[in-house]
């Protein structure tokens, strides 16, 4: 599980975990963006909340995670941006107990507000496949296109400095307490997320390798 302040680069780190270790990753934020693009009732119901930077209700998010685990959770998983509240963490504990599965690791990506601002103002995302990159890495193209699927790379509508204030407030009040929650379970590892992608991923890889049976 990857926990971090908004825009801590975790989308990209999660994608790197899938590529390197073949562990499926799910992210409620990515699911909700897809639902919105598809115009489903769930997407329409949550679009305004995510655009404002508020957290979506625990009930909706837990439902998404339960469905995903039922379909794909049989061979290990990484949650990206989940849980973000104590009730979500409690529900996850109950769901996993029911599935006779345990959590091996909670990774807390520590980033300064300065890093968050810089990452969010440069973040680009593929409208077709969701691949995350930055303005500087995507400089190779005149019109930024996704290196994986050729889709258009665009800014997210919640990657905005005024929305960021709300997202940081939500993080500080509702997500921050999870550091204690997983600290007490002795599965929390902190990683300095202010460094470049590769340095951060090296640390994350080492933590995962310490858990995956050889
Ligand atoms: P970031 O990449 O900036 O961390 P995400 O893509 O994870 O953002 O999330 C985007 C938005 O989706 C959040 O601001 C929130 O509105 C909603 N969201 C994502 N995950 C959760 C969650 N676990 N609980 C509640 N809302 C969530």
């Amino acid at each position: 599980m990857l926990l971090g302040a908004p825009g801590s680069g975790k989308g990209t780190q999660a994608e790197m975990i899938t590529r390197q270790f073949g562990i499926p990753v799910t992210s409620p934020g990515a699911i909700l963006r897809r639902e919105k693009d598809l115009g489903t009732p769930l997407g329409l119901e949550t679009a305004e909340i995510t655009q404002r930077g508020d957290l979506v209700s625990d009930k909706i998010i837990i439902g998404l995670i339960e469905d995903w685990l039922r379909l794909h959770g049989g061979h290990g998983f990484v949650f990206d941006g989940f849980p973000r509240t104590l009730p979500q963490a409690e529900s996850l504990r109950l769901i996993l107990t029911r599935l006779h599965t345990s959590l091996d690791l909670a990774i807390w990506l520590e980033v300064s507000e300065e890093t968050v601002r810089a990452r969010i103002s440069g973040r680009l995302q593929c409208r077709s496949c969701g691949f995350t990159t930055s303005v500087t890495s995507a400089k190779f193209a005149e019109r930024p296109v996704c290196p994986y699927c050729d889709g258009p790379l665009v800014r997210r509508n919640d990657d905005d400095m005024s929305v960021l204030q709300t997202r940081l407030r939500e993080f500080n009040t509702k997500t921050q307490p999870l550091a204690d929650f997983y600290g007490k379970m002795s599965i929390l590892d902190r990683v300095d997320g202010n460094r470049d992608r590769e340095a951060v991923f090296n640390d994350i890889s080492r933590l995962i390798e310490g858990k995956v049976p050889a």
Side-chain angles (χ1 to χ4, degrees):
M1 169 178 355
L2 294 171
L3 299 159
S8 50
K10 64 187 176 38
T12 306
Q13 294 294 332
E15 284 158 7
M16 288 161 91
I17 292 174
T18 298
R19 278 202 294 279
Q20 173 90 16
F21 297 98
I23 307 173
V25 171
T26 189
S27 152
I31 295 175
L32 294 175
R33 276 188 290 281
R34 201 170 49 237
E35 294 287 319
K36 185 187 129 205
D37 287 346
L38 293 170
T40 65
L42 175 64
L44 299 175
E45 183 187 343
T46 53
E48 214 181 288
I49 302 167
T50 54
Q51 181 158 4
R52 273 202 313 265
D54 287 322
L55 290 182
V56 170
S57 76
D58 290 331
K59 187 164 178 272
I60 288 180
I61 298 291
I62 291 159
L64 286 178
I65 292 292
E66 261 186 316
D67 285 349
W68 187 89
L69 275 172
R70 205 173 307 120
L71 289 170
H72 310 289
H75 305 284
F77 47 82
V78 174
F79 295 126
D80 176 9
F82 173 86
R84 269 175 150 120
T85 66
L86 282 172
Q88 290 178 19
E90 273 299 345
S91 299
L92 178 63
R93 203 174 55 80
L94 295 176
I95 294 167
L96 293 179
T97 304
R98 217 164 50 226
L99 297 174
H100 306 290
T101 304
S102 59
L103 283 181
D104 295 320
L105 193 58
I107 302 174
W108 191 267
L109 285 174
E110 293 189 296
V111 283
S112 67
E113 272 199 39
E114 203 186 331
T115 301
V116 169
R117 269 173 230 291
R119 298 246 171 99
I120 277 189
S121 58
R123 178 156 65 176
L124 290 175
Q125 196 154 48
C126 176
R127 183 167 277 152
S128 303
C129 74
F131 174 72
T132 306
T133 184
S134 66
V135 175
T136 35
S137 334
K139 247 206 269 178
F140 51 84
E142 258 177 54
R143 193 173 43 84
V145 289
C146 175
Y148 289 98
C149 78
D150 251 10
L153 294 174
V154 295
R155 300 275 316 269
R156 270 171 46 178
N157 66 6
D158 58 342
D159 276 352
D160 167 286
M161 287 305 138
S162 61
V163 178
L164 177 62
Q165 291 311 318
T166 308
R167 290 160 74 190
L168 287 172
R169 198 192 56 225
E170 289 286 72
F171 176 80
N172 289 328
T173 55
K174 297 179 181 164
T175 308
Q176 186 66 45
L178 295 184
D180 254 10
F181 182 93
Y182 287 113
K184 283 190 187 128
M185 284 169 66
S186 307
I187 57 168
L188 189 88
D189 276 284
R190 292 173 188 271
V191 169
D192 176 3
N194 296 294
R195 299 161 301 152
D196 65 44
R197 251 156 50 100
E198 282 67 29
V200 175
F201 188 63
N202 269 344
D203 285 4
I204 291 178
S205 293
R206 232 169 300 140
L207 291 172
I208 295 175
E209 278 155 10
K211 301 288 172 184
V212 176

